[in-house]
Amino acid sequence: MSDTPMTNRHSAAAPRQRSADHAGADLVAVKAMQRVFAAWRITTAEAARLVGVSERTWSRMRSAAWSGSLDDDQLDRASALIGIYKALHLYFGEELADRWVRMPNRGPLFGGAAPAAYMQAGGLPAILATRDYLDALRGGL
């Protein structure tokens, strides 16, 4: 699959007006993703693919001067990635939780690939599937 962001499901609509609260939430989401990626030892290029932006854009987003906003796709990605991080820490011990995304996984979803590689290749659908997979593990489904 392509490394470019998926088409925004609201792309035909007029641009959304975002409040100051939403802008603050976007900054919090970006900082949270930075922490998740640091824990997972995700490179800049990998992080950009997971967020659905170019490396250059991800580098700008990480800077303290960034004042942009996240689109719906990026917000969905952030929510799911943060949820994956939380699920891993609830399900596994600290050390395994942060290594899990880098480990080859023979589960039917991953086909022997590391979850990080699977999510990068599959974009938002793969990120959401990984989140559902972990939620099912935690719930015993």
Side-chain angles (χ1 to χ4, degrees):
M1 290 198 166
S2 169
D3 287 342
T4 58
M6 294 175 51
T7 302
N8 185 321
R9 64 183 172 267
H10 300 292
S11 60
R16 293 180 301 169
Q17 295 296 319
R18 306 265 315 206
S19 70
D21 289 341
H22 283 118
D26 289 349
L27 289 173
V28 170
V30 169
K31 287 181 182 183
M33 286 190 293
Q34 287 177 333
R35 290 186 191 116
V36 167
F37 297 152
W40 291 348
R41 292 180 166 80
I42 296 292
T43 67
T44 298
E46 293 167 331
R49 284 191 292 273
L50 289 168
V51 177
V53 298
S54 70
E55 286 183 56
R56 185 173 177 161
T57 298
W58 176 244
S59 293
R60 280 195 307 266
M61 290 169 75
R62 292 180 8 217
S63 78
W66 183 71
S67 61
S69 63
L70 300 176
D71 64 25
D72 288 344
D73 179 81
Q74 294 159 347
L75 286 168
D76 289 344
R77 288 168 183 258
S79 175
L81 290 163
I82 294 163
I84 289 167
Y85 176 86
K86 182 178 178 182
L88 288 169
H89 281 263
L90 290 171
Y91 193 69
F92 300 117
E94 289 295 311
E95 184 180 334
L96 180 56
D98 290 334
R99 288 184 325 157
W100 184 86
V101 296
R102 291 273 190 209
M103 298 171 65
N105 192 311
R106 290 182 294 213
L109 186 62
F110 308 108
Y118 168 76
M119 292 187 290
Q120 289 171 61
L124 182 57
I127 294 168
L128 293 173
T130 302
R131 170 89 191 261
D132 290 344
Y133 175 84
L134 289 167
D135 287 346
L137 286 177
R138 280 191 325 114
L141 300 176

